[in-house]
Amino acid sequence: MAAVISQAHGPWLLHLGHRERIIILESIAHLYSSLGYRRKEVYILREVVGCIMDLVVCAREQTERGFSSEATESGKGSDDSGAVAVKGIERSTGNESVLKLVKHICGVHGINLEAVRFVNTDPHTQEEGADFQDTGSDDLPDDPYGWPELQIGMIREALSVAEALPGT
């Protein structure tokens, strides 16, 4: 069954539009999830997030082009006057869903994005003796998820997705 599903994922997906590609990739991910192939599911879901972020970037570029063409048509954006940057209205609708998807992807690979602890770096409010304590990382067991390079790459992807989302 998995071999048949993997045949649906191929270079021909690149010839589809973003929305069609997202629909097909979500279906493939759902099938992998139904079979219990969690890592294959999140591999496909990473592509879904990539397609969604492509749509966000395309929408942002279209908005910027729309504002620049309006400015040049009205004469305000010509070369002899100063350039004014106009930021379009960015809606944050759907950000939570994308972030939930990113958290799920990271969670399958053993990355808990909500476990980030903030350290107080202000020397005026820090008490004496409240320094950061080493937890003895030598005593930690081996990573049951493997591939720390992949985990680091996923954290980087999660950060870039969070930074690129509108309204954040």
Side-chain angles (χ1 to χ4, degrees), residues 8-158:
H9 181 253
W12 44 82
L13 290 176
L14 297 175
H15 300 291
L16 299 175
H18 289 292
R19 295 173 199 264
E20 293 84 12
R21 194 176 323 148
I22 289 171
I23 292 168
I24 291 174
L25 289 173
E26 284 179 338
S27 300
I28 292 171
H30 177 71
L31 290 171
Y32 278 135
S33 175
S34 299
L35 292 174
Y37 292 164
R38 307 293 287 168
R39 288 196 178 191
K40 283 193 179 235
E41 171 199 8
V42 297
Y43 174 77
I44 301 296
L45 288 177
R46 287 174 68 190
E47 289 190 40
V48 170
V49 170
C51 289
I52 292 170
M53 296 315 297
D54 285 345
L55 285 174
V56 169
V57 170
C58 288
R60 199 173 278 158
E61 288 174 355
Q62 287 177 352
T63 303
E64 288 174 4
R65 269 189 264 129
F67 281 125
S68 64
S69 65
E70 288 174 11
T72 54
E73 288 173 4
S74 63
K76 295 179 183 174
S78 62
D79 291 337
D80 54 354
S81 65
V84 177
V86 178
K87 184 175 181 179
I89 299 172
E90 293 184 345
R91 295 189 179 126
S92 61
T93 308
N95 285 1
E96 287 299 318
S97 298
V98 175
L99 292 176
K100 184 177 178 182
L101 188 61
V102 169
K103 287 177 187 176
H104 171 71
I105 291 169
C106 290
V108 169
H109 285 282
I111 303 167
N112 184 3
L113 293 179
E114 295 183 5
V116 177
R117 185 176 68 156
F118 295 101
V119 178
N120 187 4
T121 58
D122 188 12
H124 299 294
T125 60
Q126 191 174 24
E127 300 175 14
E128 288 186 33
D131 295 332
F132 179 74
Q133 297 176 0
D134 186 13
T135 58
S137 61
D138 297 335
D139 299 334
L140 295 176
D142 290 335
D143 185 16
Y145 297 96
W147 294 342
E149 295 85 13
L150 178 65
Q151 290 175 326
I152 291 170
M154 292 179 133
I155 293 171
R156 287 185 179 144
E157 283 180 23

